[in-house]
């Protein structure tokens, strides 16, 4: 089945450590996105990528890093510089073409807790 | 930048009641999307709207693309407990542009 997969579902990290969240899609989508969601809040864009080997900062990129070495994969690293990393992280993908509808499809999310 | 105001922020209703929520924007969008997020899960696309004035249904859900292109509405008829979740609107100016999300409407249904 085609879809977008995030792993792990739950992640615990010690304060001061970096941690990488995985996002893989087999929808042949060009664009991929990372969002952060805090309890009772909406979605805030961290980073996005429209094409392999290129990515752009979103609204809250500080303390995060990404890579896009393959079309299917867009891992997010939460670094020790992120002051308040405990949150629910959502990955999404979409097409990126001016002639196509570009609805975003989401993964199931990773809940990161810093202990 | 563009902002989407989604209201109400939360609703607590009795099972069987109809629900209405809306999103308004300070500028136009040419695509409106509605998503539902259940607790601990990612948002799932419910309805996509591509034309001003368009009215689209998906089961008990009906969404409309406002004629001014600055708003959209989602209605749920005869609510049931499994309708519980957060409903997000999203707007897109043109294909190839980023989505802008509303803050979400949290729906709670009392059996």
């Amino acid at each position: 089945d085609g879809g977008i997969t995030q792993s792990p579902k739950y992640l615990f990290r010690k304060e001061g450590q970096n941690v990488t969240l995985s996002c893989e899609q087999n929808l042949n989508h060009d664009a991929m996105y990372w969002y952060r969601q805090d309890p009772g809040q909406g979605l805030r864009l961290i980073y996005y990528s429209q094409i392999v080997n290129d990515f752009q900062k979103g609204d809250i990129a500080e303390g995060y890093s990404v890579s896009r070495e393959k079309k299917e994969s867009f891992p997010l690293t939460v670094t020790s510089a992120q002051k308040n990393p405990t949150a629910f992280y959502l990955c999404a993908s979409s097409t990126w073409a001016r002639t196509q509808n570009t609805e975003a499809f989401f993964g199931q999310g990773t809940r990161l807790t810093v202990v | 930048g563009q902002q989407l105001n989604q209201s109400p922020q939360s609703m607590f209703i009795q099972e069987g009641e109809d629900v209405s929520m809306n999103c308004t924007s300070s500028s136009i969008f040419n695509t409106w999307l509605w998503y539902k997020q259940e607790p601990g899960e990612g948002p799932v696309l419910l309805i996509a709207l591509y034309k001003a004035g368009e009215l689209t249904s998906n089961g008990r859900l009906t969404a409309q693309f406002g004629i001014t292109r600055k708003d959209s509405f989602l209605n749920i008829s005869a609510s049931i407990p499994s309708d519980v979740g957060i409903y997000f609107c999203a707007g897109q100016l043109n294909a190839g542009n980023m989505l802008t999300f509303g803050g979400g409407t949290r729906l709670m249904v009392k059996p």
Side-chain angles (χ1 to χ4, degrees):
Chain A
D1 286 350
I4 181 166
T5 302
Q6 289 185 243
S7 62
K9 180 74 170 173
Y10 299 96
L11 189 57
F12 294 87
R13 187 196 93 178
K14 288 185 178 179
E15 201 168 333
Q17 289 181 339
N18 293 352
V19 64
T20 297
L21 283 59
S22 170
C23 180
E24 304 276 334
Q25 54 96 3
N26 60 4
L27 300 167
N28 199 33
H29 283 167
D30 298 304
M32 297 185 74
Y33 316 81
W34 275 104
Y35 292 90
R36 169 180 172 140
Q37 186 177 33
D38 291 288
Q41 302 297 314
L43 308 177
R44 292 189 290 169
L45 183 64
I46 305 173
Y47 267 99
Y48 66 99
S49 168
Q50 301 171 22
I51 195 170
V52 172
N53 292 322
D54 185 59
F55 47 83
Q56 308 295 328
K57 291 182 179 180
D59 300 319
I60 56 164
E62 186 175 351
Y64 300 97
S65 66
V66 293
S67 62
R68 188 85 185 277
E69 296 178 1
K70 298 186 300 182
K71 187 176 184 178
E72 301 80 13
S73 179
F74 191 40
L76 173 74
T77 297
V78 184
T79 75
S80 56
Q82 169 51 236
K83 299 302 180 188
N84 186 20
T86 295
F88 190 51
Y89 290 88
L90 287 161
C91 180
S93 70
S94 71
T95 57
W96 193 268
R98 296 190 182 277
T99 57
Q100 297 180 26
N101 299 324
T102 54
E103 303 96 336
F105 294 91
F106 286 85
Q108 290 193 312
T110 293
R111 185 167 299 283
L112 173 64
T113 302
V114 174
V115 297
Chain B
Q2 295 173 324
Q3 291 194 359
L4 280 184
N5 296 310
Q6 189 169 349
S7 66
Q9 287 188 326
S10 62
M11 302 179 73
F12 191 81
I13 62 169
Q14 192 74 36
E15 183 178 0
E17 290 183 356
D18 296 343
V19 173
S20 290
M21 60 189 78
N22 70 83
C23 269
T24 59
S25 171
S26 56
S27 54
I28 66 170
F29 288 109
N30 290 313
T31 296
W32 284 93
L33 307 172
W34 284 93
Y35 291 85
K36 178 189 178 186
Q37 184 182 28
E38 297 191 3
E41 301 294 330
V44 174
L45 182 65
L46 297 173
I47 293 177
L49 302 160
Y50 303 107
K51 187 183 295 185
E54 180 180 359
L55 188 70
T56 298
S57 293
N58 178 5
R60 292 178 295 106
L61 277 62
T62 301
Q64 184 161 24
F65 191 145
I67 196 70
T68 66
R69 297 178 182 267
K70 292 185 178 181
D71 55 13
S72 180
F73 306 86
L74 177 70
N75 296 316
I76 305 173
S77 63
S79 59
I80 60 178
S82 62
D83 290 333
V84 164
I86 303 175
Y87 291 79
F88 289 101
C89 63
Q92 185 182 45
L93 180 58
N94 291 305
N97 294 137
M98 293 295 297
L99 289 176
T100 299
F101 282 89
T105 294
R106 183 180 297 270
L107 179 64
M108 293 158 280
V109 179
K110 183 179 180 181

